Amino acid sequence: MSGNAFSGEDGRPNLADLEGDNEWTQLARKHWLGSAKSKRVKNDVVKIGIWDNLEKEGFHFQDEKEQFSNLFRRILSMSLDSSLATPIKTHILSFLICAFQSLDNGLIRKECAPLVSISLWQHLASETARAGKFERYPQLKKAWRAATKRYDVADESTQARLRFDRAWLYTSLLDFLSRLQDSGTENLVYCERFIEFLTDLESQLPTRRYVNTLIKDLNLLALIRLSPMFNGAENGLFRDLFVLLRHFVNFPIDDHSGAQETQIQSSEEHSANLARLQRVSLKHFKEKLTILALSNYAAIDEREELAALLESLGDDELANLAGMLGFRTKYPLTTRVEVNRELLLEIVLAAHERRKTFREVMRDLGVLPTDAALYEPTLLRNEQYNGSRSLAIPKLNLQYLSTGDFLWRSFVLFRCESFFEIRKDIEETIKRLQPQQAQLPSSDKPAFVRAEIGLDVSRLADAVRREWETLRPDDVVYLVSAEPTENARNLTNGHAAYATGHDHGIRFLRAAEVEQVLDEDGRVLREAFGADVNGFVRRPRLRRLLVKLDAATYKIDAAQKKEGKADVYESVNLVIRRKGRENNFKKILETIRTLASSDVPVPDWLQEVFLGYGDPTSATYTKLSNHLDKVDFRDTFLNQRHLEESLPGKVIELAVPDEPNLRPPYVLEGLAEASSAAPRPSKKRRRDEDDGPQQQPVQKSIRVSTYQPPNNGPYPTDAPKVNQVRFTPAQVKAIMSGTQPGLTLIVGPPGTGKTDVATQIINNIYHDFPAQRTLLIAHSNQALNQLFQKITNLDIDERHLLRLGHGEEGLETDVSYSKHGRVESFLDNRFQYLAEVDRLATDVEAPGAHGNSCETAAYFNSVYVTPAWSKFWDSANTMDTSTSDIVESFPFHRYFSNAPQPLFVPEASKNQILEIARGCQRHITRIFTELEDIRPFEILRTSRDKANYLLIKEARIIAMTSTHAAIRRQEIADLGFHYDNVIMEEAAQITEIENFIPLALQNPKDGQLPLQRVVLCGDHLQNSPIVQNLAFRQFANLEQSLFLRFVRLGVPTITLDHQGRARPSIAELYKWRYPTVKNLPSVLTDTQYLRANAGFRYEYQFIDVPDYKDKGEYQPTSHYFVNEGEAEYAVAIYQYMRLLGYPASRITILTTYAGQRALIREILMKNCVEQGRDRLFGLPRIVTTVDKYQGEQNDYVILSLVRTIRIGYLRDIRRLTVALSRARLGLYILGRRAVFESSPEIRVAFALLFQRPTDALWLTTGEMFPAGRMLGDDEVKAVEMKGIEHLGQYVFEITRAKIEGLKQGSEKPPVVEEVEKIGTMDDEVDEGEGQIVGDVVEDDEERRDTDGVE
């Protein structure tokens, strides 16, 4: 920013500038200084008019640190300026809240840290209070002296700055205390925001360390509780914020060491406080407080009892008692605090009463909803969030006080989010039903509460009835007492005011867990009802649900019934179920609560990084003492040249220098030396080094050796599978880090091969550490199956692979990797191996039924096979034995007669002959080894025991979704399941609690989780976790993933930098988000990337779709966005491509809203399937939403953006990045240009799209798939399709010509692949375990029509 832009001497603006003509004043006059009523922030003006101009001038705060510091200091000064209006100070406070939440930024951290330093303790009530802290923490005395010395030796200006720093928060607190006496609306909003600010300071250890002492010294909680603002009837949000602040102020943690206090330590500290009170009482108030002094602790730690005992003290005596206990009893006059008896009593009581721990609070919070819980004012208040007011919910920050604190926050937020979704579904159901009043006959018979529900299913469609019949144990159903109400028909999901359940026609609501589903005769329902008799199937009339009610809620209901209130359960007239993937909240909440109560530790090497403290690099392998110096990378490198290219900047030292071409596999040694960083020198040493010559780092070398892989046998199936991927240097770096112990973060931009990297890491760990087990986690079944699919193609024994969850059906393999599928596979292999044992027995002429069982096979091996090998090797290892003698003495010629012949090549050397024999021995040994592994499955009786044994003993690579891990955590851990490594795919799409639970899926060993490696693969620049509620998403930051938090904290990441998915031209649409990403040679040279798309002028194009039938976007039902014109256009493009011969399996149709997805499917069925059209068109590979398609790709993508009025949730550039990066060869986007070109957030991406014609789709004539034309060939005849009607007519004419050609036999129809249904990704089910949070929401009014929510 130019120094003379403003008239101030220091280049800063002043009042005179408002009269000037500089560009900034003109901008302010145009948009904010006029007479317009609206003074709101205009994002486009801020972005284009201010920020873009500053960037053009080269201004950036990172380069102008002093200017940022000056700006920040001025804002701090303004926050204390009493002349400013309260709303302005509230906005300043919001800025400071954001600043203290952005401490990962060095500029901001430098300005914020002095405000919460130990210098704050200048304002403690007395020297005694400070001395008490120094006595308990001697190291703090050193820090205090250093701060004092820094002030004493500073010049006058620096001293003034230091005085301001240590006084700012104290002055702000005094101002806050003064404001508590005034309950005006503006003042209330400011105080709410200030409590939010204090809560944020208390919830992170670096800001809490000294602030908490000051807050307790000021008796802030007591002052708030007694204030007029707190006791105002309408100030419920203020009281809720106070409860949250009190939770963090009293959180059981050592503020200076960061250690969370155990239950015993908290109890001991509480007892010590009570003992001190008793001693003071006995010494100074013996006559009046003898009973208090002699009572046991349990008798005086309740508020009421202690208040009664202190009642005998006079006002002056109570003040003396408070002073003797070390409490502040005097306040500046500006605070307007009256130190009276009520305040003194509150201070003493609050300090000595027994408080519930956060674990007890979690235990008492119900995990099953009731109408009262769903319509709790706190939850309804969250729904009204627009950023103008604070919310009384915990936030997910960069740092946490402890693991227990993280789990408590996650529990509260996940419970709120789950109850929000449940309430919306219940309200939608009631709204559709429109209940009416019915006249029921009265009855004198008493109503009995029974855990059995009868469902009349006689009038239900078969598909709906089967959904009810498939309810499983532990599924949750909702028992509703619905009543008619006029208000329900007028309400929407927006909630103009805080609506109650009665406003929606919900009188009562209770939840119940299903135990069994019974038929009308009371028998457990196992199979479909009824038998086909002469073509007639009898329809069932009744289904019975045996359910388990919530015991705590039922107890309350029963007590209320005795008091004469309505019987909740007698009035139930509606049973509601939700989809399994949306209804898993209870199990997950119980898992979080169990983890919080059990103190499951984070591994020591990961603890500080997880909580956000200490050195962010401390968990990487270069900083760990157990890093590996020597690693066998097997087939990671294809050849020596690939090895050298993959380690740029490293000195490679070959173990055999004379060998010109060292062949893989490669063993690398010296990794620790080559990658370890030198310890950071002290400040003094760095200052000394700055004056002298810089010492160049010594470059370490990596020693490379190789070995001959063992011969595994003579059969082709014995040959190991070998990696064929030529990994880039960045990928190799990620593989090397992931193979080492510690934490690895891999950032994988679209198409850069992070899945290949993850599979190679798994392969290396599997072979290098055969005793270790690896857990694979992914957000969705698609991502997990994609990863698992590649693992099955590696050299990994399939008996060591296990896929948990029902998504295993989506694996495109002939082998089942589920628990029961693996057990069946073991038993099938048993018969095959026992047959091989019989063949061996025939070969050695051993009498008996040796192939009867694994036990008899083991006996045969020890009695016949092992001695035969011993005899052979004794003969073969003799020095004078010839090759012919070795071949002749080989004992299993007949057995290997079905192997490729000759078994022993005549011209082979002796060593080669011996290696062939060793391979044969390994083949036979493997048979008996696997039979030994199968033997337990012979012995175990039940399928459950066999499946559990497989999980805890046999499987070495176990894959599951993060939701399955959360739901089954306790069950899996109780089995004794243990693992050493965790690898997470799409980790940036998983919420923090979903990230954490897989790390704690086992019980500790010796007080520690035995984790060796944690590898997180993801891309924080693509989709984040999906959270329905705007307040939880933005205010509480529930959409934060552990991956993103680690990136913000500065944990080292490895970014993959070469994409091999898309044409370079298509990749340019999103590569601006990834400046370092380049193209692999394959996308520059392979024919498929050079050839044009048949029938299309361009390989990508944006088509501006006008209103169709005078309509653009519209909502046929509430929150259900569709655009018929774009849907018809997308289907027409698909039909056109099919007519040209494009395979349907290579075409995907994407859209941004679920309503549009349903409409496109409907039009596809009508235009491409019905009336025999499936022979010509069929269905595309998938039709789904953008959010569901992350991690997937296809050759050709048709994308419908839907919105024609405003941009919608695509303003989030992360989702646009996903949308633009799914196509490999062709991308055709349908949207409204005027809407998307007006958004500054996405202007860069659309600027490239708009460089090509957008008013019409440009096609070429006379081409069939695949095209012979190359990209860039301008000599091509192109035609414009002016709108959907034009394209539709064109497709109709081609279709008619195609049909005529078929009738005459001159043409063949396009190939129609077998596609079972459209959109299998959207219909996936994982044991009723969907994502922990729902799908994306643009804002509240659009909640219902976002990805996957209908």
Side-chain angles (χ1 to χ4, degrees):
M1 191 180 297
S2 57
N4 56 4
F6 301 111
S7 57
E9 293 182 1
D10 56 357
R12 296 176 179 174
N14 56 32
L15 292 176
D17 288 303
L18 296 179
E19 306 299 328
D21 292 323
N22 67 72
E23 56 180 316
W24 310 109
T25 304
Q26 292 177 11
L27 193 70
R29 286 175 183 165
K30 179 179 179 181
H31 296 285
W32 290 291
L33 298 180
S35 57
K37 294 182 179 179
S38 176
K39 303 295 183 184
R40 63 186 179 87
V41 174
K42 299 179 179 179
N43 294 330
D44 55 339
V45 177
V46 173
K47 173 70 171 64
I48 301 170
I50 299 177
W51 189 249
D52 287 353
N53 287 333
L54 289 174
E55 284 191 329
K56 288 178 182 177
E57 293 183 16
F59 175 81
H60 200 285
F61 276 130
Q62 292 289 353
D63 303 323
E64 303 287 346
K65 297 180 180 180
E66 185 175 350
Q67 288 210 30
F68 177 79
S69 180
N70 293 336
L71 169 67
F72 197 86
R73 310 297 293 187
R74 293 179 65 204
I75 293 173
L76 289 175
S77 301
M78 291 171 65
S79 70
L80 301 179
D81 188 348
S82 58
S83 65
L84 289 179
T86 299
I88 295 176
K89 298 187 73 171
T90 303
H91 290 309
I92 292 173
L93 191 55
S94 297
F95 169 82
L96 295 174
I97 289 173
C98 293
F100 275 91
Q101 287 181 339
S102 305
L103 297 180
D104 52 315
N105 184 288
L107 278 177
I108 298 175
R109 185 169 60 249
K110 182 180 178 182
E111 300 301 325
C112 291
L115 304 177
V116 291
S117 68
I118 197 172
S119 299
L120 285 174
W121 286 5
Q122 287 278 0
H123 305 288
L124 296 185
S126 65
E127 289 286 344
T128 306
R130 198 159 48 238
K133 286 290 182 181
F134 294 157
E135 182 179 354
R136 185 174 180 182
Y137 302 100
Q139 72 276 14
L140 295 181
K141 194 167 187 178
K142 182 179 179 181
W144 175 260
R145 288 173 178 168
T148 305
K149 182 179 179 181
R150 187 162 55 250
Y151 177 82
D152 293 338
V153 301
D155 56 32
E156 186 175 343
S157 62
T158 305
Q159 285 185 342
R161 181 185 181 110
L162 293 174
R163 282 196 300 272
F164 180 85
D165 288 343
R166 71 190 184 194
W168 179 81
L169 181 59
Y170 178 71
T171 307
S172 299
L173 285 167
L174 297 183
D175 176 64
F176 169 70
L177 292 177
S178 174
R179 291 174 179 273
L180 290 176
Q181 313 307 316
D182 179 11
S183 295
T185 302
E186 292 181 351
N187 211 38
L188 174 64
V189 174
Y190 176 87
C191 290
E192 289 171 350
R193 194 66 79 179
F194 194 82
I195 290 187
E196 178 194 345
F197 174 62
L198 293 180
T199 303
D200 286 351
L201 294 182
E202 289 280 354
S203 64
Q204 298 187 89
L205 194 59
T207 53
R208 169 195 181 90
R209 185 166 282 125
Y210 305 112
V211 171
N212 194 39
T213 301
L214 180 62
I215 286 177
K216 289 182 176 180
D217 180 81
L218 284 169
N219 305 311
L220 189 68
L221 296 180
L223 292 169
I224 294 174
R225 185 167 182 171
L226 296 178
S227 67
M229 186 174 291
F230 181 88
N231 292 287
E234 302 299 321
N235 300 343
L237 172 59
F238 185 81
R239 287 188 287 273
D240 290 342
L241 286 165
F242 165 78
V243 172
L244 187 61
L245 174 63
R246 183 178 61 187
H247 163 83
F248 281 109
V249 168
N250 297 319
F251 192 84
I253 189 174
D254 188 309
D255 293 339
H256 303 285
S257 69
Q260 180 176 313
E261 296 176 356
T262 64
Q263 193 79 21
I264 295 176
Q265 289 172 327
S266 298
S267 179
E268 288 176 348
E269 184 176 352
H270 175 61
S271 299
N273 288 335
L274 292 174
R276 183 163 173 263
L277 173 63
Q278 288 181 322
R279 287 195 300 271
V280 172
S281 300
L282 187 62
K283 182 176 180 180
H284 299 282
F285 307 96
K286 185 175 182 180
E287 294 181 0
K288 295 185 176 182
L289 299 181
T290 302
I291 297 177
L292 186 153
L294 298 179
S295 299
N296 61 59
Y297 295 154
I300 61 174
D301 68 354
E302 295 293 335
R303 175 176 281 263
E304 292 76 14
E305 285 80 356
L306 185 56
L309 292 171
L310 294 174
E311 190 65 32
S312 60
L313 293 180
D315 292 354
D316 292 339
E317 291 174 317
L318 188 58
N320 290 335
L321 174 64
M324 293 172 185
L325 292 172
F327 297 116
R328 180 191 291 262
T329 56
K330 295 182 180 180
Y331 294 87
L333 294 177
T334 57
T335 63
R336 296 191 286 169
V337 172
E338 181 183 353
V339 182
N340 53 24
R341 180 182 182 87
E342 184 182 16
L343 175 59
L344 293 170
L345 188 61
E346 175 63 28
I347 290 172
V348 176
L349 294 179
H352 296 91
E353 67 177 337
R354 185 188 179 280
R355 295 179 294 268
K356 283 186 176 181
T357 66
F358 73 93
R359 295 184 181 89
E360 292 172 330
V361 172
M362 291 174 65
R363 182 194 63 200
D364 294 341
L365 281 174
V367 295
L368 288 176
T370 64
D371 55 299
L374 292 184
Y375 288 93
E376 188 179 348
T378 302
L379 287 179
L380 296 178
R381 199 181 296 120
N382 295 337
E383 192 173 340
Q384 302 297 314
Y385 177 73
N386 59 9
S388 62
R389 300 282 290 269
S390 296
L391 292 177
I393 51 178
K395 300 177 183 177
L396 298 184
N397 295 333
L398 271 176
Q399 302 169 326
Y400 302 105
L401 300 178
S402 68
T403 306
D405 171 44
F406 163 71
L407 291 169
W408 176 82
R409 299 191 209 190
S410 299
F411 178 87
V412 172
L413 291 174
F414 181 72
R415 180 178 181 270
C416 291
E417 170 72 2
S418 299
F419 282 16
F420 168 80
E421 294 177 10
I422 291 169
R423 179 161 57 83
K424 289 303 178 186
D425 288 341
I426 299 294
E427 288 173 0
E428 191 68 28
T429 302
I430 298 295
K431 185 177 179 181
R432 290 201 308 266
L433 288 175
Q434 296 185 351
Q436 299 178 357
Q437 185 67 45
Q439 298 295 327
L440 298 176
S442 61
S443 174
D444 296 331
K445 294 182 179 180
F448 294 95
V449 179
R450 300 179 62 188
E452 180 178 307
I453 305 170
L455 303 177
D456 181 3
V457 298
S458 59
R459 291 179 292 178
L460 296 180
D462 289 341
V464 177
R465 173 177 53 79
R466 280 193 292 269
E467 289 179 348
W468 280 95
E469 292 174 344
T470 55
L471 286 171
R472 291 172 296 182
D474 297 330
D475 281 353
V476 177
V477 294
Y478 305 90
L479 315 180
V480 182
S481 173
E483 59 184 4
T485 172
E486 291 298 323
N487 293 337
R489 299 178 184 178
N490 300 325
L491 289 170
T492 67
N493 286 336
H495 294 286
Y498 294 154
T500 65
H502 287 278
D503 294 327
H504 289 276
I506 302 172
R507 187 182 176 197
F508 301 113
L509 182 144
R510 297 294 182 267
E513 293 179 80
V514 175
E515 289 189 334
Q516 284 183 328
V517 181
L518 310 177
D519 63 15
E520 53 194 34
D521 298 322
R523 295 173 299 192
V524 177
L525 194 68
R526 290 189 174 91
E527 297 179 357
F529 183 88
D532 190 340
V533 180
N534 297 325
F536 173 75
V537 178
R538 184 165 65 90
R539 292 181 60 85
R541 295 184 302 105
L542 187 68
R543 289 288 179 261
R544 302 177 189 274
L545 297 183
L546 292 182
V547 298
K548 182 170 59 177
L549 302 175
D550 182 64
T553 304
Y554 178 71
K555 180 180 179 181
I556 296 173
D557 292 336
Q560 291 179 342
K561 180 183 176 183
K562 288 182 180 179
E563 296 174 0
K565 296 183 179 180
D567 189 326
V568 173
Y569 303 96
E570 188 179 64
S571 64
V572 170
N573 53 16
L574 177 64
V575 181
I576 299 176
R577 62 170 180 82
R578 301 170 74 218
K579 292 181 180 179
R581 62 181 305 185
E582 301 167 357
N583 207 33
N584 48 45
F585 67 96
K586 180 179 181 291
K587 283 282 189 182
I588 298 169
L589 285 172
E590 288 176 340
T591 295
I592 300 172
R593 186 163 62 183
T594 301
L595 287 172
S597 302
S598 60
D599 285 327
V600 172
V602 176
D604 284 343
W605 58 270
L606 188 59
Q607 174 86 16
E608 288 192 355
V609 174
F610 177 79
L611 294 179
Y613 310 126
D615 182 3
T617 68
S618 61
T620 56
Y621 78 94
T622 57
K623 296 295 185 70
L624 298 180
S625 59
N626 63 336
H627 56 244
L628 305 171
D629 187 59
K630 184 177 181 179
V631 177
D632 182 357
F633 285 97
R634 302 181 61 81
D635 56 356
T636 302
F637 307 101
L638 303 185
N639 49 48
Q640 184 175 330
R641 181 178 179 183
H642 181 212
L643 170 68
E644 294 168 348
E645 292 173 348
S646 301
L647 301 172
K650 299 289 193 303
V651 177
I652 297 177
E653 182 181 309
L654 300 180
V656 186
D658 298 332
E659 178 63 44
N661 187 15
L662 208 63
R663 301 181 61 184
Y666 299 115
V667 178
L668 273 58
E669 191 173 356
L671 298 176
E673 298 176 6
S675 56
S676 61
R680 183 182 175 90
S682 65
K683 288 184 179 179
K684 183 177 184 304
R685 183 178 295 273
R686 290 202 302 272
R687 286 196 299 267
D688 295 341
E689 289 177 352
D690 289 342
D691 299 332
Q694 296 294 318
Q695 182 178 0
Q696 296 298 322
V698 178
Q699 196 166 29
K700 304 294 184 179
S701 62
I702 294 179
R703 295 173 292 282
V704 179
S705 60
T706 188
Y707 60 91
Q708 179 64 39
N711 185 332
N712 290 322
Y715 297 95
T717 55
D718 292 326
K721 300 174 183 176
V722 180
N723 164 56
Q724 301 297 327
V725 178
R726 191 178 186 87
F727 293 112
T728 66
Q731 289 176 318
V732 168
K733 183 178 179 182
I735 292 169
M736 294 175 71
S737 178
T739 306
Q740 291 273 3
L743 173 65
T744 299
L745 260 63
I746 302 173
V747 179
T752 53
K754 62 179 178 291
T755 304
D756 289 326
V757 170
T759 53
Q760 190 62 31
I761 291 172
I762 294 165
N763 190 38
N764 290 348
I765 294 173
Y766 174 83
H767 290 285
D768 291 348
F769 309 98
Q772 293 187 9
R773 313 178 79 205
T774 300
L775 183 65
L776 305 186
I777 299 293
H779 169 64
S780 63
N781 281 309
Q782 311 93 272
L784 189 62
N785 285 345
Q786 186 181 28
L787 176 62
F788 205 75
Q789 190 87 38
K790 293 194 173 185
I791 293 172
T792 59
N793 296 326
L794 299 175
D795 185 29
I796 294 177
D797 196 326
E798 68 178 30
R799 64 197 172 101
H800 292 144
L801 298 175
L802 179 61
R803 168 72 163 87
L804 298 182
H806 280 201
E808 187 268 342
E809 293 89 344
L811 278 172
E812 299 177 1
T813 61
D814 298 329
V815 181
S816 173
Y817 290 96
S818 66
K819 282 197 293 187
H820 297 291
R822 287 288 81 216
V823 170
E824 291 176 4
S825 176
F826 268 86
L827 297 178
D828 290 343
N829 291 341
R830 170 180 175 272
F831 291 111
Q832 297 176 18
Y833 290 132
L834 290 178
E836 294 297 301
V837 171
D838 283 335
R839 287 184 58 228
L840 278 169
T842 302
D843 192 3
V844 299
E845 299 179 351
H850 299 290
N852 273 2
S853 67
C854 296
E855 184 179 3
T856 58
Y859 172 81
F860 169 73
N861 182 43
S862 62
V863 173
Y864 291 95
V865 178
T866 302
W869 280 117
S870 298
K871 181 179 179 182
F872 168 74
W873 289 115
D874 288 343
S875 172
N877 289 330
T878 305
M879 293 293 295
D880 56 353
T881 305
S882 64
T883 56
S884 58
D885 293 336
I886 295 173
V887 172
E888 185 178 350
S889 63
F890 184 73
F892 299 105
H893 279 289
R894 275 195 293 171
Y895 175 78
F896 287 106
S897 60
N898 60 350
Q901 299 297 321
L903 183 60
F904 297 100
V905 180
E907 59 273 13
S909 66
K910 181 177 180 179
N911 287 336
Q912 291 173 329
I913 294 291
L914 291 176
E915 185 58 29
I916 293 172
R918 291 189 189 97
C920 294
Q921 184 178 17
R922 292 187 185 100
H923 178 88
I924 292 176
T925 301
R926 187 163 58 251
I927 293 174
F928 292 103
T929 301
E930 297 208 14
L931 283 172
E932 190 63 29
D933 290 340
I934 295 170
R935 187 173 179 181
F937 296 97
E938 281 187 341
I939 300 171
L940 295 171
R941 302 297 299 273
T942 67
S943 298
R944 184 181 183 86
D945 289 340
K946 293 176 181 177
N948 290 339
Y949 178 86
L950 175 72
L951 173 63
I952 63 176
K953 294 292 185 181
E954 192 64 32
R956 288 178 50 198
I957 298 175
I958 304 97
M960 66 184 78
T961 62
S962 55
T963 308
H964 184 96
I967 293 175
R968 305 293 179 189
R969 188 265 164 193
Q970 194 62 45
E971 176 185 335
I972 293 174
D974 289 344
L975 290 173
F977 175 63
H978 283 284
Y979 53 96
D980 305 274
N981 314 296
V982 175
I983 297 178
M984 293 192 194
E985 176 75 314
E986 298 292 357
Q989 271 193 288
I990 305 176
T991 60
E992 278 207 79
I993 188 61
E994 289 179 283
N995 283 130
F996 176 79
I997 291 175
L999 304 182
L1001 210 58
Q1002 56 186 327
N1003 293 323
K1005 286 183 177 179
D1006 302 323
Q1008 289 292 321
L1009 291 180
L1011 276 181
Q1012 300 285 321
R1013 296 169 183 80
V1014 175
V1015 180
L1016 304 181
C1017 305
D1019 182 7
H1020 54 291
L1021 298 182
Q1022 295 188 59
N1023 280 349
S1024 62
I1026 308 303
V1027 178
Q1028 293 271 13
N1029 188 286
L1030 183 68
F1032 304 142
R1033 188 169 72 246
Q1034 293 188 358
F1035 182 86
N1037 204 20
L1038 185 56
E1039 70 172 358
Q1040 174 176 272
S1041 66
L1042 183 65
F1043 187 93
L1044 174 59
R1045 184 163 71 90
F1046 279 169
V1047 171
R1048 290 183 61 198
L1049 284 170
V1051 175
T1053 61
I1054 301 170
T1055 302
L1056 309 184
D1057 56 4
H1058 281 77
Q1059 75 89 19
R1061 171 186 294 172
R1063 297 184 194 268
S1065 56
I1066 294 178
E1068 288 298 325
L1069 297 175
Y1070 55 88
K1071 273 178 59 178
W1072 62 276
R1073 293 277 285 162
Y1074 308 95
T1076 62
V1077 172
K1078 303 178 179 63
N1079 296 307
L1080 284 173
S1082 59
V1083 300
L1084 301 174
T1085 58
D1086 286 4
T1087 304
Q1088 61 174 332
Y1089 295 104
L1090 300 178
R1091 182 182 289 127
N1093 295 339
F1096 292 93
R1097 176 67 182 85
Y1098 304 105
E1099 73 278 18
Y1100 70 84
Q1101 189 182 0
F1102 180 97
I1103 302 100
D1104 189 11
V1105 181
D1107 287 351
Y1108 179 67
K1109 298 179 181 178
D1110 299 324
K1111 285 194 299 186
E1113 70 172 65
Y1114 65 98
Q1115 301 179 64
T1117 59
S1118 180
H1119 316 297
Y1120 199 74
F1121 284 88
V1122 296
N1123 184 322
E1124 188 176 357
E1126 289 186 18
E1128 292 281 2
Y1129 214 131
V1131 174
I1133 293 175
Y1134 169 73
Q1135 290 178 292
Y1136 172 70
M1137 295 177 72
R1138 292 291 291 129
L1139 291 169
L1140 296 188
Y1142 285 85
S1145 62
R1146 296 175 65 179
I1147 304 172
T1148 289
I1149 301 180
L1150 295 181
T1151 182
T1152 51
Y1153 289 92
Q1156 184 77 346
R1157 178 190 66 196
L1159 178 61
I1160 292 174
R1161 289 176 172 178
E1162 180 183 332
I1163 296 174
L1164 278 168
M1165 294 301 295
K1166 176 183 176 183
N1167 294 355
C1168 301
V1169 176
E1170 295 175 1
Q1171 299 180 0
R1173 295 188 181 95
D1174 55 325
R1175 290 192 63 206
L1176 273 179
F1177 304 112
L1179 298 174
R1181 183 175 186 271
I1182 196 166
V1183 178
T1184 187
T1185 51
V1186 170
D1187 280 358
K1188 291 291 183 183
Y1189 209 57
Q1190 179 166 336
E1192 299 293 320
Q1193 62 182 14
N1194 209 347
D1195 287 351
Y1196 307 97
V1197 172
I1198 304 168
L1199 172 62
S1200 169
L1201 300 180
V1202 182
R1203 304 307 298 270
T1204 59
I1205 299 175
R1206 59 191 181 115
I1207 187 174
Y1209 77 80
L1210 274 181
R1211 72 167 67 91
D1212 185 343
I1213 192 63
R1214 295 173 298 184
R1215 291 196 165 84
L1216 181 64
T1217 301
V1218 175
L1220 297 178
S1221 59
R1222 301 305 98 195
R1224 296 179 65 246
L1225 304 176
L1227 175 63
Y1228 302 97
I1229 305 173
L1230 308 171
R1232 184 65 57 86
R1233 175 169 179 166
V1235 171
F1236 292 96
E1237 71 179 349
S1238 63
S1239 174
E1241 295 93 340
I1242 60 176
R1243 183 173 289 116
V1244 176
F1246 279 90
L1248 292 173
L1249 289 168
F1250 295 157
Q1251 289 177 4
R1252 293 181 174 180
T1254 61
D1255 56 339
L1257 174 65
W1258 284 73
L1259 305 180
T1260 58
T1261 59
E1263 291 184 334
M1264 294 293 290
F1265 178 86
R1269 174 171 53 93
M1270 295 291 114
L1271 274 181
D1273 185 357
D1274 296 330
E1275 301 297 326
V1276 59
K1277 183 179 180 181
V1279 295
E1280 297 180 68
M1281 293 292 110
K1282 291 288 188 179
I1284 177 58
E1285 295 85 356
H1286 189 185
L1287 178 61
Q1289 182 63 30
Y1290 188 62
V1291 170
F1292 173 76
E1293 292 173 358
I1294 299 177
T1295 304
R1296 184 170 58 184
K1298 178 76 70 173
I1299 292 174
E1300 290 297 325
L1302 290 173
K1303 288 180 179 179
Q1304 298 173 10
S1306 59
E1307 290 199 39
K1308 295 181 180 179
V1311 177
V1312 180
E1313 292 92 351
E1314 289 292 332
V1315 180
E1316 294 183 2
K1317 59 179 180 177
I1318 313 176
T1320 54
M1321 292 173 64
D1322 304 290
D1323 303 317
E1324 69 170 48
V1325 178
D1326 186 10
E1327 293 193 336
E1329 309 145 10
Q1331 282 69 30
I1332 284 189
V1333 283
D1335 293 308
V1336 64
V1337 189
E1338 175 188 340
D1339 51 35
D1340 246 10
E1341 66 199 56
E1342 296 178 3
R1343 187 188 72 85
R1344 282 295 176 203
D1345 185 43
T1346 51
D1347 182 10
V1349 182
E1350 300 182 65

